[in-house]
Amino acid sequence: GVPAVLDGCSCCPVCARQRGESCSALLPCDESSGLYCERGHDDGGASGICMVLEGDNCVFDGMIYRNGETFQPSCKYQCTCRDGQIGCLPRCNLDLLLPGPDCPFPRKVEVPGECCEKWVCDPTDDVILGGFAMAAFRQEATLGIDVSDSSANCIEQTTEWSACSKSCGMGFSTRVTNRNQQCEMVKQTRLCMMRPCENEEPSDKKGKKCIRTKKSLKAVRFEYKNCTSVQMYKPRYCGLCNDGRCCTPHNTKTIQVEFRCPHGKVVKKPMMLINTCVCHSNCPQSNNAFFQPLELTSSEVKI
């Protein structure tokens, strides 16, 4: 009922010694259970007892926590000690569940008697977006850890890219991530084009119901807000289905595309390139209902 391991000569399989059992070079401990052989001094260290390999303790705000111990430094966070390192996860979901497009100027307020803050919508546009950057670790929650060191205890959180805002033509998709030095939740935006708007009718070529992925036959320049890409590309597009299913990107990558705008201005924008598409029946009712227009002045927009 215990794992078989090779003896100290790497010759014969033996039963791995368990916690509290005697061990030696020929009778190794069960390392898969985190055991090691604590050698004695009586026989020159030839034999010993299998002991649990204890990880380093953690010190947090003057308190010592054992390896594997979970604790809550405040009602907003739950932390775990892992071999001397502390990782924390937010217990409030506000940082990931961002307000929707109908709330363009969100603001978090404290609710009396409750730990987690709640979103409120500011009806005016005199709120500066950058004023509400969401830190996954705030100074009051890290209990004494300096803000400049917040990245040391930062648990990376990145959502998947959302669906493209347009089923044809140039649109955009978004995601939320705290992959930065400040460990702040920021919304990133990239351009995307699932397919050109011409030839929207599905092809009946060879009786196929769906054409998943098709590559542009000729090199094209991308257009965005009266700007044209400097380079030409042969992008892949998602096809169309004549059986009611949807065809959407499955595997994508993000590249930086350089656009030349009127008056000689040149800007770089992150843009999705499609590798593969997939056909499915989980079709959104209206993609545009889930997005709000954003001025793509930067690939990162702090909320």
Side-chain angles (χ1 to χ4, degrees):
V2 299
V5 296
L6 292 177
D7 60 15
C9 301
S10 297
C11 169
C12 306
V14 296
C15 291
R17 309 296 284 176
Q18 301 302 301
R19 184 174 184 176
E21 296 180 344
S22 60
C23 55
S24 65
L26 291 177
L27 297 173
C29 298
D30 187 358
E31 293 184 357
S32 65
S33 298
L35 302 177
Y36 75 104
C37 192
E38 177 67 37
R39 305 296 175 95
H41 300 288
D42 297 338
D43 54 358
S47 62
I49 302 293
C50 287
M51 306 282 287
V52 177
L53 181 63
E54 296 286 351
D56 291 338
N57 293 333
C58 302
V59 180
F60 195 85
D61 193 36
M63 298 288 292
I64 298 177
Y65 297 96
R66 298 187 306 275
N67 177 47
E69 186 175 357
T70 298
F71 60 98
Q72 291 183 12
S74 75
C75 63
K76 295 181 180 181
Y77 296 95
Q78 179 166 304
C79 304
T80 303
C81 173
R82 294 292 185 194
D83 195 20
Q85 300 293 320
I86 296 175
C88 298
L89 289 173
R91 301 182 70 234
C92 302
N93 294 325
L94 296 179
D95 287 349
L96 291 181
L97 300 178
L98 300 178
D102 55 339
C103 183
F105 301 105
R107 184 162 50 92
K108 281 202 285 190
V109 297
E110 293 185 359
V111 181
E114 294 187 20
C115 171
C116 298
E117 299 164 311
K118 290 189 176 180
W119 287 112
V120 295
C121 291
D122 201 314
T124 62
D125 57 1
D126 54 3
V127 179
I128 301 174
L129 284 176
F132 301 101
M134 297 174 296
F137 291 87
R138 302 185 189 280
Q139 188 173 12
E140 67 269 19
T142 52
L143 297 176
I145 291 183
D146 188 72
V147 172
S148 62
D149 296 328
S150 62
S151 59
N153 280 331
C154 183
I155 302 296
E156 185 176 304
Q157 303 170 74
T158 303
T159 64
E160 296 292 332
W161 285 104
S162 65
C164 195
S165 61
K166 292 187 177 181
S167 60
C168 73
M170 189 68 75
F172 64 90
S173 63
T174 59
R175 73 176 179 182
V176 180
T177 183
N178 66 344
R179 192 183 299 168
N180 52 62
Q181 280 293 109
Q182 294 74 31
C183 192
E184 291 180 347
M185 299 301 292
V186 296
K187 181 180 284 187
Q188 294 180 328
T189 305
R190 68 176 180 178
L191 298 171
C192 54
M193 182 183 289
M194 289 175 55
R195 62 183 65 87
C197 285
E198 60 268 16
N199 301 325
E200 275 282 75
E201 288 299 318
S203 172
D204 291 329
K205 184 179 179 181
K206 296 182 181 178
K208 287 187 177 181
K209 293 183 178 179
C210 288
I211 300 176
R212 285 187 295 181
T213 311
K214 52 185 180 181
K215 190 172 184 178
S216 176
L217 298 178
K218 59 180 181 178
V220 297
R221 296 186 192 273
F222 295 123
E223 294 186 0
Y224 158 73
K225 287 192 174 181
N226 296 326
C227 303
T228 305
S229 64
V230 175
Q231 293 186 18
M232 300 186 74
Y233 300 85
K234 278 190 175 181
R236 289 185 176 90
Y237 298 124
C238 290
L240 290 168
C241 299
N242 55 13
D243 59 358
R245 285 187 292 171
C246 300
C247 193
T248 56
H250 176 254
N251 182 274
T252 67
K253 64 180 179 180
T254 304
I255 64 169
Q256 293 290 328
V257 177
E258 197 172 68
F259 289 89
R260 181 173 287 110
C261 303
H263 310 296
K265 184 179 178 182
V266 176
V267 294
K268 283 187 177 181
K269 301 292 179 186
M271 182 166 178
M272 174 191 80
L273 283 189
I274 296 172
N275 290 327
T276 59
C277 299
V278 66
C279 299
H280 56 88
S281 299
N282 185 25
C283 302
Q285 296 298 320
S286 174
N287 284 339
N288 295 327
F290 301 99
F291 295 89
Q292 65 188 86
L294 287 175
E295 289 293 329
L296 291 177
T297 55
S298 170
S299 63
E300 295 187 357
V301 180
K302 288 186 177 181
I303 302 298

